[in-house]
Amino acid sequence: MPELPEVETVRRGLQPVMEGARILSVEQRRPDLRFPFPEGFADRLAGHDVVALGRRAKYLIVHLDDGGILICHMGMSGSFRIETGGEQQTPGVFHYERSKDARHDHVVFHLRRRDGARPRVVFNDPRRFGFMLLTDTKSLETHPLIAGLGVEPTGNELDGALLSRLMGHRRSPLKAALMDQRVIAGLGNIYACEALWRAELSPLRGAHTLAAPPGTASPRAVRLAEAIRAVIAEAIAAGGSSLRDYVQADGSLGYFQHTFSVYDREGMPCPRAGCDGVIERIVQSGRSTFYCPVCQR
Ligand SMILES: [Zn+2]
């Protein structure tokens, strides 16, 4: 499953191609992905201009000139490919390599940009856990996928006081509470592990231990809020710079691996200066948690 920074790098890669472009036509090559495509999917998009390409949690939100909205989710294995003339580019950088097999090209957006260029944006998804749905501006916030989402982990809204309030009454382990999309939207397994390591907090500690009197923040919550925003921002920044390299090099990029402190590093020494701990892997709520039992308390 792509994590939020990966989705954001995809958004940033698609943005200069899609924003301001007209959708001339849409080729929908199968009736469904994870869900059936909406009735008249291609016809409802054709002829409209893309006014903005946004993101909420791991959903790409395509805003059209008539108030229509296309919600895209990349699922496990989805990717977008930009084809301009003979050139191809797959924006975004992923922990796992993306398919370029044309058999898995399920949707093709034929675009016309204001400068006359006619790029195609191709959605490829071998496992077909991705999906595309339609809504409109006035219904977006109440859409079933969007309405229950918690705070974005990227913005200033997520601070210590909010985290103390969100976590304060929860008895579940801190890691599980962080992964709850109703609390924080789009903070996936990798970055939950990384943020907890950075904040020196154990994933096993009860979420309620971040509690503070109403309107205030516990020191732990302040540390964790800063850590969450930092690990996400750094991953997005790294993705942005890799994106530029990618266009030239056309190589597979695994940079996320190199920036992890604990994720996927079971048995390796804790990278924190002065800590002689060894990274352990445990399973929480069916997901692997990586952490250092020495410095994360
Ligand atoms: Zn450590």
Side-chain angles (χ1 to χ4, degrees):
M1 187 73 77
E3 297 244 357
L4 188 147
E6 298 176 297
V7 178
E8 178 61 17
T9 59
V10 171
R11 189 191 73 79
R12 292 182 185 192
L14 290 174
Q15 192 174 29
V17 175
M18 292 187 74
E19 275 190 6
R22 172 152 303 173
I23 300 172
L24 296 176
S25 63
V26 178
E27 285 176 59
Q28 177 200 324
R29 295 180 175 173
R30 32 178 314 119
D32 59 359
L33 293 170
R34 191 195 316 180
F35 308 128
F37 282 95
E39 191 97 7
F41 177 72
D43 289 343
R44 283 168 65 183
L45 298 171
H48 290 289
D49 291 349
V50 175
V51 293
L53 179 60
R55 180 190 55 76
R56 179 76 171 98
K58 297 182 195 174
Y59 302 108
L60 291 171
I61 312 281
V62 183
H63 296 263
L64 302 175
D65 57 2
D66 66 344
I69 285 181
L70 167 64
I71 301 176
C72 301
H73 192 279
M74 297 198 291
M76 307 281 287
S77 57
S79 65
F80 288 91
R81 192 170 74 244
I82 300 165
E83 299 182 348
T84 313
E87 292 179 19
Q88 293 188 359
Q89 179 197 341
T90 304
V93 278
F94 298 91
H95 187 50
Y96 301 104
E97 203 180 342
R98 298 285 115 172
S99 161
K100 293 181 176 61
D101 187 335
R103 286 176 304 172
H104 305 303
D105 291 347
H106 303 309
V107 184
V108 182
F109 298 91
H110 294 266
L111 307 176
R112 185 181 66 220
R113 297 198 44 81
R114 291 194 185 117
D115 63 6
R118 295 197 172 205
R120 290 184 301 278
V121 171
V122 181
F123 182 67
N124 181 295
D125 188 359
R127 296 179 66 179
R128 303 201 300 270
F129 281 112
F131 57 84
M132 295 188 186
L133 299 173
L134 297 170
T135 184
D136 55 53
T137 307
K138 63 178 190 300
S139 309
L140 181 64
E141 286 306 313
T142 54
H143 191 280
L145 291 173
I146 305 292
L149 290 174
V151 63
E152 284 280 323
T154 47
N156 292 334
E157 204 187 334
L158 180 67
D159 62 11
L162 181 65
L163 215 46
S164 277
R165 181 165 68 77
L166 293 173
M167 296 290 155
H169 59 284
R170 289 174 184 265
R171 310 304 297 184
S172 54
L174 183 53
K175 162 87 179 327
L178 283 180
M179 299 276 294
D180 186 338
Q181 299 300 296
R182 295 166 299 181
V183 179
I184 302 173
L187 183 70
N189 195 39
I190 294 175
Y191 294 98
C193 293
E194 293 292 296
L196 285 168
W197 178 82
R198 189 175 296 218
E200 299 183 45
L201 292 172
S202 169
L204 297 163
R205 134 189 314 282
H208 65 278
T209 62
L210 270 58
T216 65
S218 74
R220 290 181 189 125
V222 170
R223 271 193 348 249
L224 185 55
E226 285 172 359
I228 290 169
R229 286 162 46 185
V231 295
I232 296 280
E234 286 169 19
I236 292 172
S241 58
S242 299
L243 198 57
R244 285 190 291 277
D245 298 336
Y246 188 89
V247 176
Q248 298 163 3
D250 189 36
S252 63
L253 289 168
Y255 83 95
F256 278 104
Q257 275 168 325
H258 306 302
T259 62
F260 295 151
S261 298
V262 287
Y263 184 79
D264 223 2
R265 292 173 62 89
E266 183 181 13
M268 296 172 77
C270 173
R272 195 185 315 280
C275 178
D276 59 4
V278 172
I279 305 306
E280 285 187 9
R281 184 182 79 90
I282 55 173
V283 175
Q284 291 181 291
S285 311
R287 307 292 301 274
S288 288
T289 296
F290 297 88
Y291 77 114
C292 172
V294 174
C295 64
Q296 291 181 247
R297 307 306 292 266

